[in-house]
Amino acid sequence: MAYELEFEKPLVELRKKISELKEFTKHRDVDFSDEINKLEARLEKLENDIYANLGPWDRVQIARHPNRPTTLDYIERLFTNFFECHGDRCFGDDEAIVGGIAKYYGLPVTVIGHQRGKDTKENIRRNFGMPHPEGYRKALRLMKQAEKFGRPIICFIDTKGAYPGKAAEERGQSEAIARNLFEMAGLTVPVVCIVIGEGGSGGALALGVGNYVHMLENSTYSVISPEGAAAILWKDASLAKKAAETMKITAKDLKQLGIIDEVIPEVRGGAHRNVDEQAKYIDDVLKRSLRELLPLHAEQLIAQRYEKYKKIGDFIDSEQHVSVM
């Protein structure tokens, strides 16, 4: 059964009417071709109007769509010879993060990403895409291995956030995230990060320090979820829509703020509508990013990464009252 988003209900109703008329025409000796053509034209116009004017909360819903492509979906379509590696060599294997070695147009690369499930059973196994510290330590192990053998690193970001449970905190959740931030900043190989769904808090940032950070058009990237922000600001999580509109969490907003480098377009209606086509859009940007980064030597890659993050944000000099970018 198709999953309906709130803003898509008018489209669903119209598609249902068209389907009913087609069935009626097929089984009865009545021709509704003119009516069907009119409704299909109306559907086309309505789709264009709705998808061309999506608000921040609409994009949050698309980013959370249960059928939205995951890291493994893109790995299957973008890479060959993927060999998944498991475990952090300290505690265990966290299935909320997948990673391994693959080939990208014949080039050996290391691919790492958050992985959520497609159904309840898999979501429980993947902890709903919320990693424990051993997941981040697994990711870091693979990054250092990639650095040792000179392989570019590609990270797919898709998590509500790091798992906030008691056991995760006892095993050093905050330290694991901080360690990843520190180590990723100094990696001597190209790092390309792509937000493919939700990019939530430090759980996302722990895979997000790269030479290039790109986002799918309907993804989100934020320090806290809209519900969490609403609960803190207005003591009411039901005001999440209002929070989403003020937080600047969409790809377009973050591109304007200089947080990300490029917005990757999505197929109309969201990446879940056509995963193969969406993978091609990602492929174009990934290919171009690596083409620009591969000629750089280690010191240049580190310097480029440093300059990128140094430029983020504005501040006011209290004495000179000058805004500096």
Side-chain angles (χ1 to χ4, degrees), residues 87-92 137:
D88 67 340
R89 303 297 185 265
C90 294
F91 180 82
R137 291 179 179 129

Side-chain angles (χ1 to χ4, degrees), residues 6 14 30 65 86 127 140 198 203 217 236 259 282 289 324:
E6 187 66 31
L14 204 48
V30 184
H65 198 289
H86 298 273
N127 203 36
L140 180 58
E198 284 188 274
E217 184 181 356
D236 187 354
I259 307 294
I282 295 175
S289 297
V324 181

Side-chain angles (χ1 to χ4, degrees), residues 7-8 10-11 14-15 40-55 58-59 62 217 268-269:
F7 65 88
E8 291 181 314
L11 299 176
L14 204 48
R15 291 190 190 110
E40 286 180 337
R42 184 180 164 193
L43 176 63
E44 178 73 15
K45 184 179 184 303
L46 190 59
E47 283 183 336
N48 288 334
D49 290 344
I50 288 176
Y51 293 128
N53 297 285
L54 292 173
D58 298 329
R59 296 189 191 279
I62 295 176
E217 184 181 356
R268 190 168 66 175

Side-chain angles (χ1 to χ4, degrees), residues 137-297:
R137 291 179 179 129
K138 172 171 69 172
L140 180 58
R141 178 175 73 83
L142 294 177
M143 290 177 198
K144 299 304 284 186
Q145 180 195 75
E147 183 178 47
K148 179 179 179 180
F149 292 100
R151 292 192 296 265
I153 299 167
I154 295 139
C155 295
F156 292 105
I157 297 169
D158 183 16
T159 182
K160 294 179 184 296
Y163 185 62
K166 181 173 180 285
E169 296 298 336
E170 288 174 343
R171 294 198 296 274
Q173 184 72 288
S174 57
E175 187 278 336
I177 292 172
R179 175 66 60 181
N180 276 28
L181 300 180
F182 176 80
E183 296 287 354
M184 287 187 80
L187 288 170
T188 57
V189 293
V191 183
V192 180
C193 308
I194 304 173
V195 184
I196 60 172
E198 284 188 274
S201 193
L205 196 59
L207 295 186
V209 182
N211 296 96
Y212 288 128
V213 179
H214 307 309
M215 275 182 75
L216 296 195
E217 184 181 356
N218 294 316
S219 292
T220 61
Y221 199 22
S222 62
V223 70
I224 191 171
S225 69
E227 290 87 351
I232 292 171
L233 293 173
W234 304 299
K235 313 300 180 187
D236 187 354
S238 67
L239 295 175
K241 181 177 180 180
K242 179 181 176 183
E245 291 168 352
T246 59
M247 288 169 64
K248 305 295 184 184
I249 62 176
T250 65
K252 181 181 177 182
D253 290 328
L254 294 169
K255 178 70 171 71
Q256 291 175 345
L257 292 169
I259 307 294
I260 65 167
D261 297 287
E262 189 165 345
V263 178
I264 302 175
E266 290 195 28
V267 296
R268 190 168 66 175
H272 57 283
R273 298 283 184 186
N274 190 332
V275 186
D276 292 333
E277 189 68 21
Q278 189 59 57
K280 292 177 183 176
Y281 294 157
I282 295 175
D283 186 40
D284 290 341
V285 174
L286 184 55
K287 200 185 304 178
R288 185 168 65 252
S289 297
L290 288 176
R291 191 162 52 236
E292 293 172 4
L293 294 173
L294 285 172
L296 304 181
H297 56 68

Side-chain angles (χ1 to χ4, degrees), residues 94 96-97 114-115 126-136 158-164 168 173 203 207:
D94 184 357
I97 284 186
H114 300 95
Q115 180 65 31
R126 302 279 185 188
N127 203 36
F128 294 84
M130 296 186 291
H132 288 76
E134 52 269 23
Y136 294 117
D158 183 16
T159 182
K160 294 179 184 296
Y163 185 62
Q173 184 72 288
L207 295 186

